[in-house]
Amino acid sequence: MYNSFTEEAKKILMSAKEEMKKLKHPYVGSEHLMMAILKDDNEISSRLKEFDLTYETFRKEIINIVGIGKKEVEYFLYTPLLKRVLENAIYDSKENNNGNVTISHLFSSLLEEGEGVAIRILIGMNIDVNDLYHEFSYKIPVKKGKNKKLIVEELGIDLNKKALNEEIDPVVGRDKEIKRIIEILCRRKKNNPILIGDAGVGKTAIVEELSRLITIGEVPNALKNKRIISLDMSSTVAGTKYRGEFEERLNKILKELEENDDIILFIDEIHTLVGAGGAEGAIDASNIFKPALARNKMRLIGATTTSEYKKFIIDDKALDRRFQRVDIKEPTLEVTKDILMKLADTYSKFHKTIINEEIINLIVELSDKYIKTRKQPDKAIDILDEVCAHVALKENKNEKKYNSLNNELKEILKIKKDCLLKKDYKKASSYKQKENVIASKLNKLELNLKSDNNIITKEDVIKVVSEKSNVPINEFSSYDPKQTDKFELELKKEIIGEDKAISELIKLYKRIKLGLIDENNCYSILFTGPSGVGKTKLAKIFSNKISNNLLKLDMSEYSEPHSVSKLIGSPAGYVGYDDNKNVFETIKDSPFSVIILDEIDKAHNSIIDLFYQILDDGKLKDSKGEYIYFNNCIIIMTTNLGFNSKGIGFKNVKNTELNENFDVAFMNRIDNIINFNYLSNNDMLKIIDNKLKDLKHKYKLKNIEIKINTNIKQEILELSNYNEYGARKIDKIIETVIEPIIINDILIGNKNINIKSIKVNV
């Protein structure tokens, strides 16, 4: 409430309380306010002497009529009438003095009230209150000029003040852009620069740097003593409930800018001008700004992204021509390193961490390599800030000791309190000594904690980047040969007779774990071989081992040219354009993925061309023009081309059929072609043996023992037709021939089942 009172008015209210205490009255009333005004040396008190009204005479009259109390009260209360006087004074000040309550407002409000102890005493002193009212009311001095706060100052943020308070981070490598903005601002006409660039390249930071240069005077004379005020369109629209209020507010702002040429307006996200406040046929903000910009009586700096500039501003030619375009490009890695080196000290002090140059280089390198959807320096600064926060929150040895001692101290204090309640003072004294010892240790540790600075390590950076990018970089940096050997044995146990193919795949696994795959391209493998030998199964096992995100596509579903829309989305104007339900959308969320393209030869040529682009560049544009990055993906393709019959077994014949089906350019983009062999009799018997073991184990869990004669393996082999189908039919034979025998025996109560032959059941 009292924030709106001037210092002189506050002094009067304090004096009124003192008068109340001196007279030992139980309240602060209008008479005490009158006494305070008369006692103070101000214009009103000096002029009231003309009416034979002084502090001494008024005080004497109060004592005669009201008297002096018997006891001085410590607290004070305002009478309801005095509260109304103060409220009316505040209301009047908003009408004629920008909300600043003066002594004149207080006295005028006192007279306007027309009743109360003060007024009655004045009447008793034969003073005409009406004469006083006409003399002092409506003659309140109104503050004008520079002290009046502008609407644009209330709604906006003064960037110069932020610069003076050192709230702005330093900007590096933008001298060319800042010079261009200064040149535009110093023009006679069309002196309104608009900064256009991708999100995160530092458009707002450049304007903040310009405000800092203005505050330190490192600008041409034409820009010295200027102020940059940042205005948010949402705050400008806020509170305008009725039609016409927004336009009125905006016109007032523009008038203020024209009258105060020391203000340069900055609107971030300037595309929000288009359509702002334009509901129900009202004129939007952009059309209100156009005439003001054309008059060249104000300077405006705008900032927006390239896509939003094209979407909202470029179509409005009249608005576009009033701005001078300044393109803000993404800084190079070297410039980004310089930016982070400048910012390192600020973040180091804030988080109490130690950042060295090696860590800065690593942050820039990893952010550029793994976070593709954002721009420098924003993504690198984000990682720097998050790494510092991550390290600062780590609990070191001293912190653990401090927390332990603190818990111990709480326990001792609790026991000491119980002892005192039980009047066991001797025991309480012993706990008091323990309390002093622990408190001393805590004080020493607290001093160490304040001076401790945590050092940021390479592992901290890798962990943070892994979490932000969803790419397990920490796994790549740790390679365990024993684990790799174990994985190879597991694969050979699962996939029989393809040891050579597995060895080739393990070489790739080692490269992935050591981080030796090209960062700009996705790695691709083509599995070729007969049907049923385990190509897809091996791809699935391998995928589940190295990535949590497996994307399996059956390419027979992509045999039509229009099926491209399933992968990258529908073109503009078609149903589903805005759905974001295309297959490759998952790659944006999980950049480290394994994509299995089963039976790639069945895909349409347009789909093959799409994957050709992915294999070539490691990225692809979706239907909305946004890039999807595959540089951390592994693509595994399978095909049985060239293995349709066992008669075609020569390698060159197989490769000829592949080249006939796929372009040479596409084949050249595949990093590794792994050939799978036909399964031999021994391989098939091993597979059958494994399947039968799994069957026995399945029923053993249900307390049913199954014995299977050795001749059954050969019978299954004969039924499988493995020369044509590979191992595909084994599961079907077990399910349709062997399991019915087991189920029938279980139903008649047998717990021990012996299967001697299956020929009878076939």
Side-chain angles (χ1 to χ4, degrees):
M1 176 180 176
Y2 298 110
N3 291 337
S4 58
F5 285 67
T6 62
E7 291 301 319
E8 293 82 6
K10 286 178 183 176
K11 186 181 173 184
I12 292 296
L13 291 175
M14 292 298 293
S15 181
K17 292 175 194 174
E18 292 298 321
E19 294 299 329
M20 179 269 290
K21 284 185 179 179
K22 285 177 185 176
L23 294 171
K24 298 178 182 178
H25 289 173
Y27 54 82
V28 183
S30 60
E31 65 273 26
H32 304 112
L33 178 65
M34 188 71 189
M35 286 171 69
I37 292 169
L38 289 167
K39 188 178 182 181
D40 188 65
D41 185 16
N42 56 65
E43 188 184 347
I44 292 173
S45 63
S46 60
R47 287 176 61 198
L48 284 171
K49 288 175 184 177
E50 298 172 8
F51 292 84
D52 297 324
L53 184 60
T54 62
Y55 170 73
E56 289 77 15
T57 56
F58 191 78
R59 189 174 189 275
K60 189 178 178 181
E61 196 70 23
I62 286 176
I63 292 168
N64 289 335
I65 295 170
V66 181
I68 300 173
K70 293 180 180 180
K71 187 180 178 182
E72 187 179 321
V73 293
E74 294 180 3
Y75 56 88
F76 66 91
L77 295 168
Y78 286 153
T79 62
L81 184 134
L82 183 59
K83 285 180 182 177
R84 288 202 305 273
V85 167
L86 296 178
E87 285 170 4
N88 290 335
I90 293 167
Y91 180 78
D92 290 341
S93 71
K94 288 179 180 176
E95 291 290 323
N96 54 28
N97 202 41
N98 302 317
N100 296 315
V101 180
T102 62
I103 299 171
S104 299
H105 286 108
L106 292 172
F107 187 60
S108 177
S109 181
L110 183 67
L111 294 172
E112 280 178 4
E113 196 60 35
E115 58 178 313
V117 177
I119 298 294
R120 287 172 191 168
I121 289 170
L122 289 173
I123 293 167
M125 292 172 71
N126 296 319
I127 294 170
D128 193 337
V129 178
N130 289 327
D131 287 348
L132 285 179
Y133 182 77
H134 289 299
E135 182 69 24
F136 290 97
S137 187
Y138 309 114
K139 293 186 180 179
I140 297 165
V142 179
K143 292 186 179 180
K144 294 180 181 179
K146 292 184 179 178
N147 292 328
K148 184 180 178 182
K149 196 166 186 181
L150 303 174
I151 297 171
V152 71
E153 290 175 324
E154 288 180 359
L155 297 175
I157 299 164
D158 194 329
L159 296 183
N160 289 46
K161 283 184 182 177
K162 283 183 73 178
L164 285 168
N165 296 332
E166 296 182 352
E167 295 174 15
I168 291 172
D169 291 336
V171 174
V172 180
R174 293 297 189 183
D175 299 337
K176 185 181 174 184
E177 288 85 352
I178 292 169
K179 187 180 177 183
R180 168 93 172 118
I181 293 165
I182 291 170
E183 284 175 358
I184 294 166
L185 288 170
C186 292
R187 285 177 56 159
R188 180 172 169 267
K189 289 186 175 183
K190 294 185 181 178
N191 48 7
N192 308 301
I194 181 168
L195 281 60
I196 298 168
D198 293 323
V201 295
K203 300 183 293 297
T204 308
I206 288 170
V207 180
E208 288 177 346
E209 176 66 9
L210 178 60
S211 68
R212 191 186 69 82
L213 292 173
I214 291 170
T215 55
I216 61 175
E218 291 186 8
V219 288
N221 291 330
L223 293 182
K224 281 184 178 176
N225 301 319
K226 301 292 182 188
R227 290 186 299 152
I228 298 177
I229 293 178
S230 176
L231 185 68
D232 183 12
M233 287 312 298
S234 61
S235 60
T236 312
V237 177
T240 54
K241 298 188 285 283
Y242 303 107
R243 186 169 176 177
E245 278 188 63
F246 173 71
E247 292 91 329
E248 186 183 354
R249 180 183 286 179
L250 213 54
N251 281 319
K252 282 180 181 177
I253 290 170
L254 293 173
K255 190 178 178 183
E256 287 173 352
L257 292 171
E258 289 181 5
E259 290 173 356
N260 298 271
D261 63 348
D262 64 320
I263 296 175
I264 299 170
L265 191 66
F266 169 55
I267 301 178
D268 202 1
E269 309 294 338
I270 198 167
H271 62 273
T272 54
L273 281 178
V274 181
E280 299 177 6
I283 299 171
D284 70 347
S286 64
N287 287 304
I288 297 170
F289 265 88
K290 280 177 199 175
L293 293 170
R295 289 195 295 267
N296 301 309
K297 289 187 178 180
M298 61 170 283
R299 292 186 180 95
L300 172 64
I301 303 172
T304 186
T305 61
T306 311
S307 59
E308 284 160 339
Y309 172 74
K310 289 177 180 176
K311 186 176 180 182
F312 294 101
I313 296 174
I314 205 166
D315 289 338
D316 191 341
K317 299 296 180 185
L319 181 65
D320 185 33
R321 72 182 184 83
R322 285 169 171 81
F323 290 102
Q324 299 299 311
R325 179 169 175 161
V326 181
D327 289 316
I328 310 297
K329 303 292 183 187
E330 185 180 15
T332 61
L333 294 185
E334 290 302 318
V335 173
T336 306
K337 285 176 186 176
D338 291 340
I339 292 168
L340 260 66
M341 286 302 295
K342 280 257 185 171
L343 292 173
D345 189 49
T346 306
Y347 284 96
S348 180
K349 286 176 182 175
F350 182 84
H351 293 286
K352 293 181 181 177
T353 54
I354 296 169
I355 309 163
N356 56 45
E357 191 175 347
E358 186 187 351
I359 293 298
I360 295 293
N361 292 336
L362 183 65
I363 287 170
V364 175
E365 181 191 331
L366 293 181
S367 64
D368 189 64
K369 184 176 179 180
Y370 293 107
I371 302 174
K372 296 287 187 181
T373 53
R374 289 173 63 190
K375 299 291 180 182
Q376 299 285 18
D378 179 60
K379 59 184 178 183
I381 294 168
D382 265 6
I383 291 169
L384 174 66
D385 196 4
E386 197 162 327
V387 167
C388 289
H390 171 75
V391 173
L393 292 171
K394 276 185 182 177
E395 194 177 45
N396 57 31
K397 289 180 183 178
N398 284 340
E399 282 179 337
K400 285 180 181 177
K401 195 174 180 182
Y402 179 85
N403 292 334
S404 176
L405 285 170
N406 205 23
N407 291 331
E408 194 177 335
L409 180 64
K410 286 177 184 176
E411 194 65 33
I412 286 168
L413 288 169
K414 187 181 177 183
I415 296 167
K416 188 186 80 171
K417 187 179 177 181
D418 291 340
C419 292
L420 289 169
L421 290 170
K422 292 174 184 176
K423 297 184 179 180
D424 190 349
Y425 299 114
K426 190 176 180 181
K427 197 174 181 182
S429 177
S430 67
Y431 276 104
K432 176 65 179 173
Q433 290 175 357
K434 289 180 181 179
E435 180 194 336
N436 292 336
V437 172
I438 292 171
S440 176
K441 288 179 180 178
L442 280 170
N443 289 334
K444 287 178 183 177
L445 276 172
E446 199 166 344
L447 289 169
N448 291 331
L449 285 174
K450 286 179 180 177
S451 60
D452 276 357
N453 279 333
N454 298 312
I455 299 170
I456 294 173
T457 63
K458 183 181 175 182
E459 287 71 27
D460 294 321
V461 178
I462 287 171
K463 186 177 181 182
V464 169
V465 177
S466 295
E467 289 172 356
K468 284 185 79 70
S469 64
N470 284 331
V471 178
I473 309 164
N474 50 345
E475 287 186 16
F476 299 165
S477 59
S478 58
Y479 171 66
D480 185 1
K482 289 181 181 177
Q483 198 176 29
T484 306
D485 293 340
K486 186 182 176 183
F487 179 45
E488 187 174 1
L489 288 171
E490 286 174 7
L491 287 178
K492 287 179 178 177
K493 188 179 177 183
E494 286 285 336
I495 310 296
I496 305 295
E498 304 296 346
D499 291 358
K500 191 177 177 182
I502 291 167
S503 298
E504 286 292 322
L505 207 56
I506 290 296
K507 288 177 187 176
L508 170 63
Y509 179 74
K510 290 175 182 176
R511 288 185 68 188
I512 293 167
K513 283 293 177 184
L514 292 169
L516 297 175
I517 290 179
D518 183 6
E519 62 188 67
N520 295 317
N521 297 309
C522 63
Y523 196 89
S524 55
I525 317 165
L526 177 63
F527 287 172
T528 66
S531 179
V533 296
K535 300 186 296 297
T536 306
K537 187 178 180 181
L538 179 60
K540 283 182 181 177
I541 297 168
F542 180 75
S543 304
N544 290 326
K545 180 70 177 177
I546 63 170
S547 172
N548 292 325
N549 189 46
L550 170 62
L551 184 63
K552 183 180 177 294
L553 304 177
D554 186 349
M555 299 315 288
S556 60
E557 295 176 11
Y558 298 88
S559 58
E560 300 293 335
H562 60 76
S563 53
V564 171
S565 60
K566 293 182 187 177
L567 299 173
I568 60 172
S570 304
Y574 283 78
V575 175
Y577 174 64
D578 289 324
D579 285 351
N580 291 329
K581 291 180 181 177
N582 49 296
V583 173
F584 285 158
E585 197 67 28
T586 56
I587 305 298
K588 289 182 181 179
D589 301 325
S590 303
F592 183 64
S593 302
V594 177
I595 304 169
I596 298 175
L597 308 178
D598 204 11
E599 298 186 274
I600 185 71
D601 51 288
K602 292 182 180 178
H604 192 271
N605 287 336
S606 59
I607 305 293
I608 302 294
D609 292 340
L610 199 71
F611 281 101
Y612 169 81
Q613 189 181 337
I614 293 169
L615 299 181
D616 191 38
D617 294 333
K619 61 184 179 181
L620 180 75
K621 274 188 180 180
D622 63 12
S623 58
K624 294 179 182 177
E626 295 176 3
Y627 274 112
I628 304 169
Y629 292 90
F630 294 83
N631 53 311
N632 291 307
C633 290
I634 293 165
I635 296 179
I636 301 175
M637 298 168 276
T638 69
T639 182
N640 55 14
L641 278 174
F643 292 88
N644 294 325
S645 63
K646 200 166 182 179
I648 304 171
F650 298 105
K651 189 176 179 182
N652 60 343
V653 177
K654 296 168 192 170
N655 288 342
T656 301
E657 195 162 340
L658 281 172
N659 289 330
E660 284 175 1
N661 214 282
F662 302 110
D663 291 340
V664 175
F666 177 76
M667 293 300 294
N668 287 339
R669 294 297 181 280
I670 298 170
D671 295 302
N672 197 356
I673 297 175
I674 297 175
N675 292 313
F676 282 64
N677 300 318
Y678 285 98
L679 293 173
S680 63
N681 278 16
N682 290 333
D683 294 333
M684 284 296 295
L685 289 170
K686 285 180 185 177
I687 293 167
I688 292 165
D689 189 50
N690 288 339
K691 296 285 185 184
L692 293 174
K693 282 178 183 177
D694 291 340
L695 181 71
K696 288 177 184 178
H697 180 70
K698 174 183 169 182
Y699 283 97
K700 193 173 184 180
L701 295 172
K702 300 179 187 295
N703 298 320
I704 295 165
E705 289 291 331
I706 297 171
K707 291 180 182 178
I708 299 173
N709 282 11
T710 53
N711 61 298
I712 288 177
K713 293 179 190 177
Q714 194 63 39
E715 291 175 6
I716 293 170
L717 182 66
E718 290 171 9
L719 291 170
S720 67
N721 194 9
Y722 70 91
N723 289 330
E724 187 175 348
Y725 297 108
R728 283 190 190 280
K729 290 186 74 174
I730 294 172
D731 286 328
K732 194 174 181 181
I733 292 165
I734 290 170
E735 186 184 339
T736 57
V737 180
I738 297 175
E739 284 207 82
I741 298 169
I742 297 167
I743 291 165
N744 287 333
D745 278 9
I746 292 168
L747 290 172
I748 60 174
N750 287 344
K751 293 277 185 178
N752 295 305
I753 300 165
N754 187 5
I755 302 171
K756 296 178 181 179
S757 177
I758 60 169
K759 284 184 178 179
V760 181
N761 299 79
V762 177

